[in-house]
Amino acid sequence: MLPRNQISEQQAGKADPANTELYYLFQLGRPLQLANPVTRVPHRPIRNTMKLTTLHLLEQYQLFRNLPVTYLQAFAASKQKPDE
């Protein structure tokens, strides 16, 4: 996790020099193609378009709403303020 003002414009899409809130910065690996795509992914809000899960589970589920979340603590931590 990094303070938002330490994440570059290239990484985030825009600079935010006054923002010191903690943000996750993910390093993505190369893309992969699933044999069966996961469908019906919501488009808004952005938080609902993501689930932290495993490749094994991605290969087992085809509907996004049925895909289990594996790393709940990451989303729980992102709801808390840094001083909590």
Side-chain angles (χ1 to χ4, degrees), residues 7 9 11-12 14 19 26 29 38 40-41 47 52 54-55 59 62 64 68-69 73:
I7 299 174
E9 184 174 352
Q11 293 167 316
K14 68 177 185 176
N19 190 346
F26 293 96
V38 176
R40 297 193 180 175
V41 179
R47 183 178 182 84
L52 297 177
T54 64
L55 177 57
E59 293 171 335
Q62 293 180 354
F64 185 83
V69 174
Q73 68 276 15

Side-chain angles (χ1 to χ4, degrees), residues 51-65:
K51 288 191 179 185
L52 297 177
T53 191
T54 64
L55 177 57
H56 178 72
L57 290 172
L58 280 171
E59 293 171 335
Q60 292 182 9
Y61 291 86
Q62 293 180 354
L63 288 177
F64 185 83
R65 71 174 171 258

Side-chain angles (χ1 to χ4, degrees), residues 3-19:
R4 175 60 180 84
N5 61 4
Q6 292 182 21
I7 299 174
S8 73
E9 184 174 352
Q10 182 180 11
Q11 293 167 316
K14 68 177 185 176
D16 195 356
N19 190 346

Side-chain angles (χ1 to χ4, degrees), residues 22-43:
L22 293 178
Y23 279 69
Y24 285 96
L25 180 63
F26 293 96
Q27 181 175 350
L28 302 177
R30 59 174 216 241
L32 56 94
Q33 187 169 357
L34 299 172
N36 298 304
V38 176
T39 60
R40 297 193 180 175
V41 179
H43 296 286

